[in-house]
Amino acid sequence: NDAARELTVQGDTAITGTDGVSVRIDNNNGLVRFLGQTQISQRLLGGIAITNSAGGVQFGGTAGDIATILNDLAAPSQSAAILATNNSANIVFGGATVDNAQGNLPGGAGVHLRNNTGDINFGTLDIISLDGVGLFGFNNTSITIRGGDILTDNQAAVNIEQSGIDIALESVTS
């Protein structure tokens, strides 16, 4: 997607049973928008991966539009539900819910944010994670989260290093 282009998905989106990453946005220079609720289920690898992008990315047209990433296969994915690395773009989620995130050590099983110079903003962020860090961030200019809950078993709920943060969660449990 070049700088003069825009990809907009109107309405709700359901993505089921992917062999690779369910939504991959890579080297994007335009604008990518999912303007409704997004639900990803039965994924073998990552849920949403945004990498090496300078163009803006938006999930949800309103605060009530939630991107839901499930890990509901019998052999759950060991990849991050939401991954954002090496982006200069601003990335916005009206809200995001991650259920049954697992693995991806030493990074985040639920949300993995690394080396982003653009702002990353979640209206709300809810994560349930087993054997993987719920929210991981390293070397990000700005991570903003306006609400949510993170519940993790056997790993840290939140691990953020060398990043600008403005985070207000209701509950963090590990």
Side-chain angles (χ1 to χ4, degrees):
N1 198 16
D2 71 23
R5 304 286 181 204
E6 179 177 322
L7 170 68
T8 300
V9 178
Q10 298 282 354
D12 296 344
T13 303
I15 301 168
T16 305
T18 57
D19 289 342
V21 174
S22 299
V23 175
R24 179 183 299 274
I25 301 166
D26 185 48
N27 290 310
N28 170 57
N29 291 311
L31 178 63
V32 175
R33 302 184 307 161
F34 285 76
L35 298 180
Q37 302 215 43
T38 302
Q39 180 164 324
I40 297 169
S41 62
Q42 300 176 15
R43 62 187 176 95
L44 290 179
L45 295 176
I48 297 171
I50 306 164
T51 56
N52 306 308
S53 293
V57 177
Q58 175 183 349
F59 282 85
T62 69
D65 290 334
I66 308 296
T68 302
I69 300 95
L70 306 175
N71 202 7
D72 52 349
L73 288 174
S77 171
Q78 300 298 301
S79 300
I82 298 174
L83 169 76
T85 60
N86 301 318
N87 298 293
S88 59
N90 291 335
I91 299 169
V92 177
F93 286 84
T97 298
V98 175
D99 191 18
N100 195 31
Q102 297 185 22
N104 199 39
L105 293 175
V111 175
H112 183 104
L113 310 172
R114 187 178 192 92
N115 298 328
N116 296 291
T117 57
D119 295 339
I120 300 174
N121 187 313
F122 291 88
T124 59
L125 179 60
D126 295 302
I127 300 172
I128 297 174
S129 179
L130 175 65
D131 293 331
V133 176
L135 169 62
F136 175 82
F138 179 78
N139 196 33
N140 297 284
T141 299
S142 176
I143 302 169
T144 301
I145 302 170
R146 295 288 174 224
D149 302 297
I150 299 177
L151 171 62
T152 303
D153 189 22
N154 296 326
Q155 288 294 326
V158 177
N159 180 357
I160 299 177
E161 304 171 32
Q162 300 178 23
S163 298
I165 60 170
D166 181 4
I167 297 175
L169 294 166
E170 284 83 32
S171 173
V172 176
T173 306
S174 176

